[in-house]
Amino acid sequence: QKEVEQNSGPLSVPEGAIASLNCTYSDRGSQSFFWYRQYSGKSPELIMFIYSNGDKEDGRFTAQLNKASQYVSLLIRDSQPSDSATYLCAVNIGGRESGGYQKVTFGTGTKLQVIP
Amino acid sequence: GAVVSQHPSWVICKSGTSVKIECRSLDFQATTMFWYRQFPKQSLMLMATSNEGSKATYEQGVEKDKFLINHASLTLSTLTVTSAHPEDSSFYICSAETPGHRRADTQYFGPGTRLTVL
């Protein structure tokens, strides 16, 4: 089983719609969760991080975390063509507070296409 | 804040030569930097973790003698691909850790270096 799993897509949504991106992880000890956006040929850009169960909102983006289900999602409201990119879910397994080695594992990413 | 630069942004070299890639944190001190490799349409694969003043920690399957990492200062880490071969052609990305984000040590990525080995 992969440590971080995402549907590769592509996920196509019309402009103005809500895009929902999902991610599951295998390690129950995971502490922090990240969403990165990566445009083709570019490096990832951090969009949001979340570490508590529930929702975290930042502008058009909402991250949702459910540790019991080992599930994290990213909602993009009012999707724009400029949101078309690959979205990478990343999970921090063993953070500083545990005294352990900080390592972030990435999923393979979901390609999002926003259709004008 | 949290800007990471890489140099060069792209490089083409002949098989058998060595290539050095620099990663710098411009506006913060990074005690830990990470080196990733990304092949086309694949996710980032962590190659090694670089801690300032100590030896890098390599992931399983990554040859430490081939991918030399030096983290001599709090703002600079270098990756040297020695005796590069065409299969080393990839997108190499570094990131720097910014501790202190309330339990979420975030990583900020450099713009990446596209390596093509002929």
Side-chain angles (χ1 to χ4, degrees):
Chain A
Q1 181 185 6
K2 293 182 180 178
E3 292 179 296
V4 181
E5 291 205 53
Q6 296 180 258
N7 188 316
S8 61
L11 172 66
S12 295
V13 299
E15 183 174 356
I18 296 175
S20 178
L21 304 162
N22 304 315
C23 172
T24 58
Y25 59 94
S26 61
D27 191 329
R28 286 194 172 275
S30 303
Q31 299 182 1
S32 305
F33 309 85
F34 308 86
W35 282 101
Y36 288 86
R37 176 175 60 198
Q38 186 176 26
Y39 293 110
S40 180
K42 303 294 184 181
S43 67
E45 171 192 10
L46 179 68
I47 297 177
M48 293 188 71
F49 67 86
I50 186 169
Y51 50 79
S52 298
N53 276 326
D55 296 359
K56 179 180 179 182
E57 186 174 318
D58 184 1
R60 295 188 295 116
F61 299 98
T62 299
Q64 299 175 318
L65 174 62
N66 184 326
K67 290 187 177 181
S69 300
Q70 295 175 240
Y71 175 92
V72 57
S73 65
L74 178 70
L75 301 178
I76 306 175
R77 290 182 298 281
D78 188 23
S79 295
Q80 301 297 309
S82 58
D83 294 327
S84 298
T86 296
Y87 288 81
L88 302 173
C89 172
V91 175
N92 183 343
I93 301 172
R96 290 185 183 283
E97 290 187 349
S98 69
Y101 170 75
Q102 196 271 119
K103 176 180 176 180
V104 173
T105 300
F106 287 84
T108 54
T110 299
K111 185 173 183 178
L112 173 66
Q113 294 178 339
V114 180
I115 312 300
Chain B
V3 178
V4 179
S5 70
Q6 270 183 255
H7 178 80
S9 55
W10 60 270
V11 56
I12 301 173
C13 69
K14 293 182 178 180
S15 184
T17 60
S18 295
V19 175
K20 179 187 282 189
I21 303 170
E22 291 186 350
C23 176
R24 293 181 185 272
S25 56
L26 299 184
D27 52 359
F28 65 99
Q29 293 184 330
T31 53
T32 304
M33 290 184 173
F34 304 86
W35 287 96
Y36 294 86
R37 179 167 54 183
Q38 187 177 36
F39 292 108
K41 298 186 178 181
Q42 295 187 24
S43 189
L44 288 82
M45 295 301 296
L46 179 65
M47 298 176 67
T49 300
S50 168
N51 290 294
E52 186 265 339
S54 63
K55 291 183 179 180
T57 301
Y58 289 82
E59 295 299 301
Q60 189 173 9
V62 178
E63 301 175 56
K64 59 182 66 177
D65 294 332
K66 181 170 181 63
F67 299 99
L68 303 178
I69 292 173
N70 184 284
H71 193 157
S73 76
L74 289 172
T75 59
L76 173 64
S77 177
T78 60
L79 168 68
T80 300
V81 183
T82 62
S83 187
H85 287 92
E87 58 265 30
D88 298 323
S89 299
S90 187
F91 192 40
Y92 290 85
I93 312 173
C94 75
S95 71
E97 178 184 277
T98 58
H101 281 266
R102 292 188 58 196
R103 297 175 54 189
D105 295 334
T106 55
Q107 292 186 33
Y108 291 87
F109 287 86
T113 297
R114 178 78 58 190
L115 170 63
T116 301
V117 184
L118 302 177

